[in-house]
Amino acid sequence: HIQTLETRDMVKSLENGGCGECQTSCQSACKTSCGIANQQCENAEK
Amino acid sequence: MIHQYKLNGYNIVVDVFSGSVHVVDDASYDAIAMKDAGMDDAAVKAELVKKSVSEQDAEDILSDIAELADAGKLFSKDIYALHAFDFKKRSTVVKALCLHVAHTCNLNCDYCFAAQGKFHGEAGLMSFDTGKRALDFLVENSGTRRNLEVDFFGGEPLLNFQVCRDLVAYARSIEKEKGKNFRFTLTTNGIGITDEVIEWANRECYNVVLSLDGRKETNDRFRKDIGGTGSYDRIVPKFKEFVKRRGGRGYYMRGTFTHYNPDFTKDLFHMADELGFDQLSMEPVVAAPSDPVALTPEDIEVVKEQYEILAKDMIRREKEGKPITFYHYMLDLAGGPCIYKRISGCGSGTEYMAVTPWGDLYPCHQFVGDERWKLGDVWNGVTNTALRDEFKLCNVYAKPECQECWAKLYCSGGCAANAMHASGDIHGVYKEGCEVFKKRIECALMMKAAEANL
């Protein structure tokens, strides 16, 4: 009935996130929209 | 808060605050909507049975919903606002610069947000000394952050290629001693690409952004030289050679679509199928609503339909073993940004700044040319600390219009420059941009469901 995609746990990232090493998104490709959603995190909880 | 939608045969439920994404059958889709509306289990079950769902299935669905809710993956609450991150006290470092090495251009594109590269001011080239000072400013203000990003931008940066080369050489000479890793990118219109540029960029730039609007008639409508001649025939062979020799390193073909081609997938597919490029980004034009190139409300509806066409086509290409990449559909659901990043956004004005050829600092490249937004300069640093703090506080929770939006933790409140141009206030929103953004996220999540073979 319900299938759940694997996603990063936002609540956990409250404890483990915020290192700031991710790429500045606006530099990625388009320079006209921020694209935060398209970011990757090297330190995401596995 | 949840968001439910149907697309390409998938029923998708997004749980906003946990970040969970569920793919559900029709009965569950209805049940979740009823639960969200406040109905109790008995009433939901009765409604489902009325719709020919078996009693057992209805009970199973309600049990699944309860399990997900207990696990914090459905109907989760907004705990982040309560945490009340004190953004003003938040320690931020500078981690990226957009170096405007040239406020001049060898093209004369009618729709250029940078006013043909001069940003509504004087033409000029950045000196090596100013660029060197900008890199030192970045290192000095980057705290413990190791990765530092620098984009060579303009105008057309290749009009100042030697300074680009010298600045990279300088950065490489100090990065070990300073414990930093510089990541350079180049944004170019292609006119100035030579063998020397290709060899340098492929060695030093981890990403290059190559401006091409798609089909010849689309590209040459606006991307013309001073004499009015279109650029397509000159730049396409250079871009092909550049990408061929890139050897798998990052690049993006970056196009702009306008009122004249809201059916932009035709241009994307031209770049993919006829030119052989597979890393693509097409963006709506940045223009005042009164500008003839600006997208109209009618265009926005066409654009949204185009995003669906693109998503379905990319699924087909993936199945056929000939995938293409579209920047806005690249979501890493398991390894994406943390909640801090999702709330604070792109970092313009705090972590990311633009540097003019004369060393002035602005919150980002789209604010350059308007003195009201000047933050300081690379010699004295940020002197307009009030403006920097305004940007520091400008997060998704500071935007009243974002509070009830399901997409707010995907867009982080959107682009401050777009908001300013649309509403006159960086705390505002660019409504048409929001519509487009939400459609892109819906498409990208649907593609994830397809990828998972659900």
Side-chain angles (χ1 to χ4, degrees):
Chain A
H1 296 295
I2 300 177
Q3 300 188 80
T4 300
L5 298 177
E6 187 190 353
T7 55
R8 184 172 187 182
D9 185 326
M10 282 302 107
V11 178
K12 267 190 191 164
S13 83
L14 194 58
E15 298 161 22
N16 305 326
C19 71
E21 286 293 339
C22 49
Q23 189 186 3
T24 301
S25 45
C26 203
Q27 303 274 59
S28 305
C30 61
K31 306 288 282 191
T32 54
S33 68
C34 58
I36 304 299
N38 311 102
Q39 294 295 283
Q40 287 187 300
C41 170
E42 294 171 359
N43 300 321
E45 309 78 25
K46 299 299 179 198
Chain B
M1 187 194 303
I2 62 168
H3 173 62
Q4 294 184 262
Y5 67 100
K6 298 182 180 222
L7 181 58
N8 198 26
Y10 294 96
N11 300 331
I12 295 176
V13 181
V14 180
D15 188 62
V16 173
F17 298 114
S18 70
S20 299
V21 180
H22 310 286
V23 184
V24 306
D25 63 15
D26 288 340
S28 303
Y29 190 86
D30 292 343
I32 289 170
M34 287 187 267
K35 289 292 291 178
D36 192 41
M39 288 169 65
D40 65 24
D41 279 7
V44 172
K45 183 178 169 185
E47 282 299 319
L48 290 177
V49 169
K50 255 194 245 175
K51 293 180 174 184
S52 306
V53 175
S54 74
E55 290 216 8
Q56 184 60 57
D57 276 352
E59 284 171 13
D60 288 348
I61 287 167
L62 286 164
S63 167
D64 287 351
I65 290 172
E67 200 175 306
L68 286 168
D70 287 346
K73 293 185 171 184
L74 191 61
F75 307 128
S76 61
K77 302 293 181 205
D78 183 355
I79 62 167
Y80 315 117
L82 294 175
H83 269 265
F85 304 151
D86 192 336
F87 273 83
K88 195 166 184 178
K89 288 181 184 159
R90 188 173 59 114
S91 165
T92 54
V93 296
V94 183
K95 57 190 199 181
L97 291 180
C98 182
L99 277 192
H100 290 222
V101 292
H103 270 198
T104 183
C105 193
N106 42 16
L107 287 183
N108 190 35
C109 309
D110 295 341
Y111 60 21
C112 181
F113 82 90
Q116 288 68 48
K118 293 194 282 291
F119 289 83
H120 307 283
E122 296 292 310
L125 298 176
M126 182 179 284
S127 69
F128 171 73
D129 287 343
T130 299
K132 176 173 177 286
R133 179 58 213 145
L135 295 180
D136 289 339
F137 165 81
L138 176 58
V139 170
E140 290 160 10
N141 290 278
S142 59
T144 58
R145 181 180 159 99
R146 184 166 178 275
N147 294 316
L148 304 180
E149 292 140 23
V150 177
D151 185 31
F152 292 116
F153 197 65
E156 173 48 46
L158 292 181
L159 290 173
N160 202 5
F161 178 49
Q162 189 56 49
V163 163
C164 297
R165 296 186 66 132
D166 293 346
L167 289 174
V168 169
Y170 172 67
R172 298 293 180 230
S173 76
I174 62 169
E175 60 184 357
K176 194 170 178 185
E177 172 207 344
K178 304 288 186 186
K180 303 294 182 185
N181 174 42
F182 281 93
R183 297 194 289 204
F184 289 98
T185 55
L186 169 71
T187 301
T188 178
N189 64 28
I191 295 287
I193 291 173
T194 61
D195 280 348
E196 192 183 15
V197 167
I198 292 173
E199 187 271 330
W200 170 81
N202 287 350
R203 188 179 65 245
E204 301 290 2
C205 296
Y206 83 106
N207 192 29
V208 292
V209 179
L210 310 174
S211 299
L212 177 69
D213 284 353
R215 294 165 290 181
K216 179 176 164 67
E217 63 269 30
T218 304
N219 184 82
D220 287 354
R221 183 180 289 125
F222 294 117
R223 303 191 68 80
K224 297 183 265 205
D225 63 19
I226 307 295
T229 305
S231 59
Y232 183 94
D233 290 336
R234 275 176 287 174
I235 59 178
V236 165
K238 294 182 181 208
F239 285 156
K240 282 180 157 178
E241 181 65 15
F242 200 162
V243 168
K244 188 173 86 180
R245 287 164 57 182
R246 197 106 179 101
R249 292 180 192 85
Y251 76 91
Y252 269 104
M253 303 309 300
R254 195 283 194 203
T256 297
F257 61 87
T258 71
H259 172 63
Y260 296 96
N261 66 322
D263 57 347
F264 67 89
T265 58
K266 290 176 180 162
D267 293 292
L268 263 179
F269 297 153
H270 169 78
M271 291 198 274
D273 298 328
E274 291 168 52
L275 302 182
F277 299 124
D278 61 4
Q279 296 183 46
L280 308 167
S281 168
M282 284 288 275
E283 301 299 324
V285 68
V286 174
S290 57
D291 193 315
V293 305
L295 293 162
T296 65
E298 294 76 23
D299 293 336
I300 295 292
E301 292 310 309
V302 174
V303 166
K304 285 158 71 174
E305 195 180 353
Q306 291 287 300
Y307 280 120
E308 291 190 14
I309 290 169
L310 175 60
K312 292 171 188 173
D313 193 75
M314 285 177 65
I315 292 169
R316 175 188 66 80
R317 289 169 190 267
E318 183 77 39
K319 282 180 180 161
E320 292 174 1
K322 294 180 292 186
I324 58 173
T325 293
F326 179 63
Y327 175 61
H328 290 294
Y329 288 171
M330 289 177 65
L331 289 189
D332 183 343
L333 294 180
C338 65
I339 191 65
Y340 296 94
K341 179 75 174 174
R342 287 171 185 259
I343 289 173
S344 57
C346 70
S348 61
T350 54
E351 299 175 331
Y352 170 57
M353 296 176 197
V355 185
T356 70
W358 304 277
D360 292 333
L361 292 167
Y362 283 84
C364 87
H365 53 286
Q366 289 204 59
F367 288 97
V368 168
D370 186 338
E371 283 277 325
R372 291 174 302 167
W373 299 99
K374 186 176 157 183
L375 283 163
D377 61 58
V378 295
W379 293 277
N380 299 297
V382 174
T383 48
N384 190 347
T385 53
L387 182 60
R388 182 190 57 196
D389 286 347
E390 190 179 347
F391 274 84
K392 197 183 265 197
L393 288 166
C394 183
N395 64 71
V396 71
Y397 283 99
K399 297 192 169 198
E401 290 174 272
C402 297
Q403 296 322 299
E404 298 306 315
C405 177
W406 67 268
K408 65 182 179 181
L409 295 181
Y410 288 99
C411 79
S412 311
C415 171
N418 285 350
M420 192 274 288
H421 289 127
S423 71
D425 181 358
I426 61 171
H427 299 91
V429 296
Y430 169 42
K431 286 192 170 65
E432 289 76 12
C434 296
E435 287 302 304
V436 165
F437 184 90
K438 286 188 275 194
K439 174 54 73 178
R440 287 196 303 233
I441 292 294
E442 286 185 342
C443 289
L445 292 175
M446 180 277 287
M447 292 172 71
K448 286 293 175 189
E451 208 175 278
N453 283 320
L454 297 179

